Amino acid sequence: MSTYLSQVWQLLRNYVRDIRLEEMPKTTSVKTEAVLPLGKSIKEPYKSVKFAQDNLQEDLWSQRLQESLEKWTIPKSGLTYKIGDGASDTLPSGFCFRVCDRQMHEEIYDLLGNGALKPEIVNQLMELVVTGQKIRPELLFWRLEDFYHRWCQGEFIDGTPDDNLPQKTMLKLAAQNIAIGLRQVDIYTGLNVLILLLELHRYAQERDQLKQKITFYPSAQPDTDNFFTSQLLRIINYSDALEIGNFSSIVGQFLKGGNFKGAYLGDANLTGADFRGANLSGANLGDANLTGVNFSGANLSGANLGDANLSGANLSGANLSGADLGSTNLSGANLNCANLSRADLNRADLSSTNLNRADLNRADLNRSDLSSANFSHADLSNAILFGANLSEANLRSANLNHADLCRADLSGADLSHAILNGTNLSDTILFSTNLSDAILIAADLSYAKLNGAKLNDARLNGAMFLGADLSGVDLSRVILNEADLSGVILSEADLSGADLTDAILFGTDFSYANLNSANLSGSNLSGAILNGADLSHSNLSYAILGGADLSDANMEEMTWGKKQQWEGVRGLETAVNVPEALKEELGLN
């Protein structure tokens, strides 16, 4: 007690000293002005006095609050209770406290009914719980939780005039010339108790001896009879009745690590809230305003976020597996390393979103807007991307094995080093898409629009290109062995150094294409158009050439088989740089 009085005495001395400063002459010497910081001169004594008064009041109030927290956990005389007593999460039968419930409730309203708790005050209180021996966290939690449940049910504000605690506090404050409404007193009190409970929960979950004793459900514990719990939503709406966003601005920064499993928060305004590491599995956040919310590391598995606004939200490392994100606005959100496996993102807006190394295995992204999104190193295997907009997206080194990209727009996208084995790219827009060094083994590119695309050094073994237009495309050093390019247009394409061994090239248009050093051995070139093509240094050993057109083709140092069949080949008489040995073999001299 003596320590407390000495602290108060020191504060009063500081206060009196500031009053004396106010009475000092208004003029100061040049020397004095030189050492006083700019804007801090004693020409404005009122501000320093006001600051001292505010600090004194805040310190005295904080001291009162700390003492009350200690006092509320003291058992009635003759009773003892230790943390290790039992494993139950409720008080033993007949257990009583020195401060009865009625007195404690009144003190809670008097202490917490005139404004929101500041983070620094909350930190001080929690430090006292952690380092001190006087506050018993599990007893404090049980008492505050009981108050919270009663407050949620409106027990205090609905009380009779003689027993209405918010009203009594309001009248006490009015006597001190502090104007505040009845609802404000009730809302501030309830939200401040909620903050303390959230902090106690977070503190306890980090300690094995308290984990089971302190588990807080702000929206009530979900059960089988009532899957969703709406208690927290009612609190949010009650708080926001004073001012939109009131709940988020007061409690939002204290929601991290909280347990909101199965909570119904549809249409809630939680802008800018901090849900880091929180448990929201199975929660319903449909149509909620979650702009700028921090969900990093949070558990949102199986949650409903349909039509919610998550623009600019931080979901890095969050678990969204199986979540419903249909038509959700995720533009500009951070989903780095997030788990979105089997999530429903149908028609969602993920434009300019960061999904670096995200897990989207078997996710439904049907007709979603993914333009300019970052999917580098992401797992999109078996994902549904039918009709999705991926223009200018970064898919470098992404895994798209067996994904469905039919009719998707990938124009200008970067798919370099991506893996697309067995992927459906039929009727896909790939204008100016970068597929260099990509692996597209057995991929379906039928009727794909590939104008201006880069496929150099890509692996396309066994790929299908039925009806695709590859004219002018860079396919240098590409691997297309056993690929089906029947009827494909490859006019003026760059296939220098390409591997087309055993490829099906029936009726393929290679007019004026660059096939320098290409390997066409064993391929079927029946009816292929090779007029004006550069076949210098190419290998046509054992290729089937029946009906092929080689007019004006450059055949310089070309390799062919000893038993090569040339029957039905057209245009050899106009081909240029035909090897002398071949001329003799075909009697062209």
Side-chain angles (χ1 to χ4, degrees):
M1 187 68 180
S2 59
T3 304
Y4 169 59
L5 288 172
S6 64
Q7 289 175 348
V8 174
W9 175 246
Q10 185 62 43
L11 289 167
L12 286 169
R13 284 182 61 191
N14 291 341
Y15 172 71
V16 172
R17 184 181 62 189
D18 288 326
I19 291 293
R20 287 175 179 170
L21 282 174
E22 186 179 10
E23 296 170 354
M24 288 179 68
K26 299 294 180 182
T27 58
T28 57
S29 67
V30 175
K31 183 179 179 181
T32 304
E33 288 185 352
V35 296
L36 288 171
L38 186 63
K40 300 288 185 181
S41 75
I42 56 176
K43 291 180 181 180
E44 296 182 352
Y46 175 75
K47 288 183 180 179
S48 63
V49 173
K50 182 72 166 61
F51 179 73
Q53 288 174 331
D54 291 344
N55 273 354
L56 175 63
Q57 290 174 355
E58 188 172 294
D59 288 343
L60 290 171
W61 171 82
S62 177
Q63 187 68 32
R64 276 185 62 207
L65 180 57
Q66 290 179 26
E67 289 177 349
S68 295
L69 294 178
E70 294 173 12
K71 187 173 60 174
W72 295 339
T73 63
I74 299 173
K76 199 171 184 180
S77 182
L79 292 173
T80 59
Y81 186 79
K82 295 181 180 179
I83 292 176
D85 291 348
S88 174
D89 59 355
T90 58
L91 288 171
S93 178
F95 192 90
C96 297
F97 292 93
R98 183 181 297 176
V99 177
C100 68
D101 286 351
R102 167 67 191 188
Q103 183 184 340
M104 176 186 158
H105 297 163
E106 190 167 347
E107 289 177 5
I108 287 174
Y109 269 98
D110 288 345
L111 283 164
L112 301 174
N114 187 30
L117 281 172
K118 295 179 180 178
E120 54 268 25
I121 297 296
V122 176
N123 290 337
Q124 286 175 17
L125 294 173
M126 291 315 300
E127 189 176 339
L128 192 69
V129 171
V130 173
T131 60
Q133 298 295 321
K134 295 181 180 180
I135 294 180
R136 308 176 190 193
E138 82 285 9
L139 297 181
L140 178 62
F141 171 75
W142 288 331
R143 299 208 77 185
L144 289 177
E145 187 184 38
D146 177 65
F147 175 92
Y148 176 74
H149 289 319
R150 295 185 185 206
W151 175 78
C152 288
Q153 293 163 11
E155 177 181 320
F156 306 114
I157 199 166
D158 289 340
T160 61
D162 292 337
D163 197 36
N164 193 302
L165 296 182
Q167 183 173 289
K168 286 186 175 183
T169 299
M170 182 187 70
L171 293 173
K172 288 177 187 177
L173 292 169
Q176 300 172 44
N177 294 320
I178 299 173
I180 189 169
L182 184 65
R183 285 183 306 164
Q184 283 93 326
V185 170
D186 191 52
I187 288 169
Y188 277 135
T189 303
L191 295 187
N192 286 332
V193 169
L194 173 57
I195 289 168
L196 292 174
L197 286 167
L198 286 164
E199 289 297 294
L200 282 167
H201 169 85
R202 193 161 61 88
Y203 161 74
Q205 295 308 301
E206 296 171 355
R207 288 157 177 81
D208 292 335
Q209 73 273 23
L210 289 172
K211 259 183 189 178
Q212 300 302 318
K213 291 179 178 291
I214 299 179
T215 303
F216 179 49
Y217 295 88
S219 192
Q221 188 169 357
D223 54 55
T224 53
D225 297 328
N226 182 20
F227 183 72
F228 288 118
T229 57
S230 59
Q231 179 174 273
L232 186 58
L233 179 63
R234 294 196 301 272
I235 292 168
I236 294 169
N237 292 337
Y238 177 42
S239 306
D240 285 3
L242 296 179
E243 184 181 358
I244 298 297
N246 192 44
F247 177 86
S248 190
S249 63
I250 294 174
V251 185
Q253 61 190 310
F254 300 102
L255 298 169
K256 54 185 176 290
N259 194 340
F260 308 95
K261 183 179 179 180
Y264 182 82
L265 298 166
D267 291 292
N269 181 5
L270 291 161
T271 307
D274 187 354
F275 281 102
R276 279 177 296 165
N279 182 4
L280 291 127
S281 58
N284 189 324
L285 291 147
D287 292 290
N289 185 355
L290 302 166
T291 308
V293 170
N294 190 347
F295 281 117
S296 60
N299 182 3
L300 286 147
S301 58
N304 181 0
L305 292 144
D307 293 292
N309 185 358
L310 280 152
S311 57
N314 183 1
L315 290 141
S316 59
N319 182 3
L320 288 145
S321 58
D324 181 359
L325 292 147
S327 301
T328 300
N329 181 4
L330 284 152
S331 58
N334 181 8
L335 284 148
N336 180 53
C337 296
N339 181 0
L340 287 148
S341 58
R342 299 181 185 274
D344 182 0
L345 289 146
N346 181 40
R347 297 181 186 273
D349 182 359
L350 288 124
S351 55
S352 302
T353 300
N354 180 15
L355 288 141
N356 177 54
R357 299 184 186 278
D359 183 358
L360 289 141
N361 175 44
R362 299 186 185 278
D364 184 356
L365 292 146
N366 178 48
R367 299 189 186 281
S368 295
D369 184 358
L370 306 163
S371 56
S372 301
N374 180 14
F375 287 96
S376 62
H377 299 91
D379 183 0
L380 286 146
S381 56
N382 298 290
I384 301 170
L385 292 143
F386 181 89
N389 181 5
L390 286 147
S391 57
E392 305 296 332
N394 179 9
L395 288 144
R396 185 179 175 85
S397 300
N399 180 1
L400 287 143
N401 281 340
H402 304 288
D404 184 2
L405 285 150
C406 179
R407 298 189 180 180
D409 182 359
L410 284 151
S411 54
D414 183 1
L415 283 147
S416 57
H417 300 277
I419 306 170
L420 298 111
N421 296 329
T423 302
N424 183 4
L425 289 154
S426 60
D427 207 17
T428 300
I429 300 171
L430 293 158
F431 296 146
S432 301
T433 302
N434 184 2
L435 284 153
S436 58
D437 292 292
I439 303 172
L440 295 117
I441 298 170
D444 185 357
L445 287 137
S446 301
Y447 301 100
K449 287 80 174 173
L450 287 145
N451 304 74
K454 291 181 181 178
L455 283 150
N456 53 292
D457 298 295
R459 291 178 59 187
L460 290 144
N461 317 52
M464 289 178 61
F465 288 89
L466 181 66
D469 185 355
L470 289 156
S471 54
V473 173
D474 183 359
L475 289 153
S476 55
R477 299 176 304 281
V478 72
I479 300 172
L480 282 157
N481 60 297
E482 298 183 357
D484 187 353
L485 290 153
S486 300
V488 173
I489 301 170
L490 283 155
S491 58
E492 299 183 350
D494 183 0
L495 286 144
S496 57
D499 182 359
L500 288 148
T501 54
D502 301 312
I504 302 169
L505 304 166
F506 188 81
T508 304
D509 184 358
F510 286 106
S511 55
Y512 299 97
N514 181 4
L515 287 153
N516 174 263
S517 301
N519 188 354
L520 291 145
S521 61
S523 62
N524 186 350
L525 284 155
S526 301
I529 302 168
L530 290 150
N531 63 293
D534 183 2
L535 288 158
S536 58
H537 303 279
S538 64
N539 184 359
L540 281 133
S541 302
Y542 309 108
I544 301 171
L545 295 161
D549 183 1
L550 287 160
S551 54
D552 300 314
N554 181 7
M555 301 172 71
E556 183 180 358
E557 296 190 35
M558 184 185 74
T559 303
W560 67 97
K562 290 181 179 180
K563 295 182 179 181
Q564 193 86 36
Q565 299 295 314
W566 295 94
E567 291 83 0
V569 176
R570 295 171 290 133
L572 284 169
E573 63 280 0
T574 61
V576 296
N577 299 321
V578 179
E580 289 299 323
L582 182 58
K583 284 182 180 180
E584 289 180 12
E585 184 180 327
L586 298 174
L588 295 174
N589 292 328

